[in-house]
Amino acid sequence: MTKLGDLAKVLRSKNSGPFEITLDVLFDSRESYERVKGSGSVTPRTVSEAYGISEERIRHFVFFDPALGFKVTMSREVSSGSTGDRDVYGAQQHAPLMRLEIDCDREV
Amino acid sequence: MSTDIRILSPCGMLGYGFPEKSFRNGLEKDPHGIVVDAGSTDGGPHKLGAGVSIVSKRAVKKDLGLMLPAGLSRGIPVVIGSAGGSGARTHVEWTLEIIDELLAELELEAKIAVIWADFSQEDVRQASAEGRISPLSPNIPALTEEAIAATPRIVAQMGHEPIVEALRAGADIIVCGRAYDPSPFAAIGILHGKDPALCYHLGKILECGALCAEPGTTKDSILGTIGDGSFTVESLNPQRQCSETSVAAHTFYEKEHPYLLHGPGFMLDLEHCRFEEAETGVVKVSGSRLVPAETYTVKLEGARQTAYRTFVVAGIRDPILLGKLEEVEELVRAQAREYYRDVPETDYAIRFYNYGMNGVLGSQEPETFRGHEVGVLFEVVARTQELASSICATVRSTFLHYGYEGRKSTAGNLAFPFAPSDIEFGPVYEFSVYHLMESSPDAFTIEHRRGGAKR
């Protein structure tokens, strides 16, 4: 098992509009990208579990081959900058995703 | 016979600054326009709500001080998108004042087109009554009469159409109110008859400055060239380079979907784009598709004031207290609430942010706390500033002296870095309007004026 944060070249979070947080994971080789994509370890279910949120809060979950990356967009519980928000830019919400364990032994 | 159209993007945000050398390198490529985005909702609702800018006047003047003379002397338009950050009237006027000041100092004159993006509460109320307004995502409440009434400043994101019209009218400088970030860039190519799909895709890349290069940054210049059937992007600073992957990956940035992008009146589909290195550091993109929407909608944005805040920052080093910090905070909250039992509980809220423990992720933090020190930020948000400050003072004194079970440090629980400890923050805002409105490109009014010496 390897952590997603060790395999990715870029792993970041940011607002996509004030009501959503989007997570981008980009790789520097097609091999790592395909390995993660084919691992079955990254799914709406595993990501929602990593964040302790319901799967319904995940609005988009898309792999994009030309960019060697995938994106997960989740709805915010508190909109950016409203009272109770902890991260106005949504720029530090990626850490739980870095911890996600990837099953690299699975045949791709 | 068709020609390439070149667009120079000095930086990702007007007022962020850029190396003058990169900008000059771009000018040498003989661009057809200089376009800069000034807008963002990233900093939260406060800028739109309070009518202030996210960058300083000094920085905007510095950047425009390079861009305006360059555009005017070459006879190419300078287009500013989402002026002043949020693009409402007050932000546009702030930008126009800076431009006027600069033109006077430089003894230049210019034809200025201003494109307003404000929509009155009455416009929005009527659109709502006609069923022309819907929330952008399921976690946004339907727009109510009350929310409209509480939101004095509402803007909509314009498409390329009014900007193209202003360019056709021969404006030297175009100051746009709130715009869909890529629109001002797309307008240049569309004016010259280029494929709108390529123009918008390129605009999406250019609006962030050199962020699509490696190493990426919003504080450097980038050049886009639109041909027929494809466009290219290249860095103007030899210290960074565009690659197939860096450009492909850029479409991820700040968007909810990696290849489907919604703009005013269309959806951009980039799924089947091809990214190829045409020559070293020059990335060629083709295959962008634009799917017109069945109904033309624009995105509305508005912010309303919801409360006032007072907050305190303090450090905690005591290991016994750190062992039961969240428990003690609940006891402090309960004691403050009891003291103010005459104030309705819905009039205020008390929150603790324990930095070093779970300040960023709150209840979503998966790591268990290990550490010897925590920075605590606590806030009271309330209906009035006076109420927020009164309750915050009580929370602070209660927390400072709280005699929790097992305490040995009986002189005080908090290390305040500053005196006074309580900071009045002022009003707090929220995005109260973030909805789609069925509209038309004509809804944005263009005003032509003369700027500068012979005004």
Side-chain angles (χ1 to χ4, degrees), chain A residues 9 14 71 73 99, chain B residues 214 252 254-256 367:
Chain A
K9 175 190 165 202
K14 184 86 195 275
K71 182 183 265 300
T73 301
R99 294 160 39 103
Chain B
E214 278 176 332
F252 270 65
E254 298 183 327
K255 291 291 158 205
E256 75 270 20
E367 302 277 359

Side-chain angles (χ1 to χ4, degrees), chain B residues 3-195:
Chain B
T3 49
D4 285 352
I5 298 303
R6 290 170 297 279
I7 302 164
L8 171 56
S9 168
C11 55
M13 176 93 170
L14 180 61
Y16 267 20
F18 46 89
E20 193 174 338
K21 184 72 176 69
S22 304
F23 181 66
R24 301 268 169 230
N25 289 344
L27 291 175
E28 277 171 23
K29 305 269 187 180
D30 206 10
H32 295 77
I34 301 168
V35 187
V36 67
D37 179 28
S40 181
T41 55
D42 284 349
H46 167 257
K47 310 295 167 201
L48 179 55
V52 298
S53 174
I54 195 162
V55 289
S56 69
K57 177 186 170 182
R58 180 184 292 266
V60 169
K61 196 169 171 184
K62 197 172 160 69
D63 286 0
L64 286 177
L66 288 171
M67 292 163 57
L68 297 186
L72 292 170
S73 65
R74 280 167 181 75
I76 56 170
V78 176
V79 187
I80 301 164
S82 301
S86 303
R89 174 167 283 273
T90 174
H91 303 95
V92 172
E93 282 169 350
W94 180 80
T95 308
L96 287 169
E97 275 169 33
I98 299 172
I99 292 173
D100 281 340
E101 240 180 74
L102 257 174
L103 292 175
E105 284 170 24
L106 297 165
E107 296 183 348
L108 291 169
E109 58 173 332
K111 284 179 279 182
I112 302 175
V114 185
I115 309 176
W116 302 102
D118 304 80
F119 285 73
S120 70
Q121 287 165 311
E122 192 43 49
D123 289 342
V124 176
R125 205 172 280 129
Q126 194 183 334
S128 182
E130 289 167 9
R132 292 192 282 119
I133 291 186
S134 54
L136 257 140
S137 61
N139 60 333
I140 300 173
L143 194 55
T144 60
E145 178 74 24
E146 187 235 334
I148 298 169
T151 310
R153 214 173 270 126
I154 302 173
V155 293
Q157 294 189 0
M158 68 182 75
H160 65 279
E161 300 90 344
I163 309 169
V164 170
E165 199 182 322
L167 287 167
R168 281 215 176 98
D172 302 312
I173 302 169
I174 301 177
V175 182
C176 307
R178 186 64 170 133
Y180 175 54
D181 292 348
S183 298
F185 299 88
I188 302 277
I190 293 171
L191 170 77
H192 291 280
K194 295 299 177 188
D195 176 8

Side-chain angles (χ1 to χ4, degrees), chain B residues 128-429:
Chain B
S128 182
E130 289 167 9
R132 292 192 282 119
I133 291 186
S134 54
L136 257 140
S137 61
N139 60 333
I140 300 173
L143 194 55
T144 60
E145 178 74 24
E146 187 235 334
I148 298 169
T151 310
R153 214 173 270 126
I154 302 173
V155 293
Q157 294 189 0
M158 68 182 75
H160 65 279
E161 300 90 344
I163 309 169
V164 170
E165 199 182 322
L167 287 167
R168 281 215 176 98
D172 302 312
I173 302 169
I174 301 177
V175 182
C176 307
R178 186 64 170 133
Y180 175 54
D181 292 348
S183 298
F185 299 88
I188 302 277
I190 293 171
L191 170 77
H192 291 280
K194 295 299 177 188
D195 176 8
L198 295 174
C199 294
Y200 268 106
H201 187 182
L202 177 61
K204 163 65 193 145
I205 294 168
L206 296 186
E207 60 108 342
C208 294
L211 202 60
C212 68
E214 278 176 332
T217 177
T218 50
K219 294 173 182 260
D220 206 344
S221 311
I222 192 107
L223 185 84
T225 304
I226 315 177
D228 296 313
S230 65
F231 66 83
T232 60
V233 199
E234 62 197 284
S235 162
L236 293 165
N237 183 339
Q239 288 174 359
R240 33 188 122 256
Q241 296 255 303
C242 290
S243 74
E244 294 159 32
T245 329
S246 76
V247 175
H250 180 70
T251 48
F252 270 65
Y253 190 64
E254 298 183 327
K255 291 291 158 205
E256 75 270 20
H257 195 283
Y259 53 80
L260 299 178
L261 283 71
H262 293 271
F266 66 84
M267 183 186 74
L268 204 53
D269 180 355
L270 311 178
E271 184 174 10
H272 301 294
C273 277
R274 282 178 305 282
F275 300 86
E276 2 174 14
E277 192 149 351
E279 53 189 280
T280 309
V282 181
V283 174
K284 181 178 160 188
V285 183
S286 57
S288 321
R289 286 177 56 232
L290 189 138
V291 186
E294 274 178 32
T295 45
Y296 192 98
T297 57
V298 290
K299 190 191 281 185
L300 293 179
E301 293 168 351
R304 72 167 160 191
Q305 193 178 314
T306 55
Y308 291 83
R309 166 184 286 136
T310 299
F311 72 96
V312 174
V313 176
I316 298 177
R317 184 61 183 78
D318 184 277
I320 301 169
L321 177 53
L322 288 179
K324 47 170 43 177
L325 181 58
E326 288 179 326
E327 183 190 323
V328 171
E329 285 169 347
E330 284 315 310
L331 294 166
V332 169
R333 187 203 311 272
Q335 192 166 313
R337 282 221 181 266
E338 169 58 21
Y339 184 75
Y340 286 107
R341 59 188 175 278
D342 52 322
V343 178
E345 287 204 2
T346 49
D347 279 8
Y348 68 96
I350 303 166
R351 289 190 189 84
F352 298 90
Y353 301 79
N354 300 321
Y355 288 98
M357 186 176 277
N358 57 13
V360 175
L361 294 176
S363 58
Q364 287 184 342
E365 176 55 63
E367 302 277 359
T368 46
F369 174 65
R370 299 181 306 271
H372 60 271
E373 180 174 290
V374 164
V376 178
L377 183 155
F378 51 92
E379 65 164 1
V380 176
V381 290
R383 281 165 57 103
T384 66
Q385 188 71 66
E386 184 276 325
L387 185 61
S389 295
S390 300
I391 298 175
C392 192
T394 300
V395 172
R396 183 242 311 138
S397 57
T398 306
F399 201 171
L400 176 62
H401 299 296
Y402 197 83
Y404 58 88
E405 206 183 318
R407 180 163 83 145
K408 297 192 181 188
S409 156
T410 53
N413 299 322
L414 302 171
F416 301 113
F418 312 127
S421 55
D422 304 10
I423 315 296
E424 288 196 349
F425 176 95
V428 185
Y429 297 83

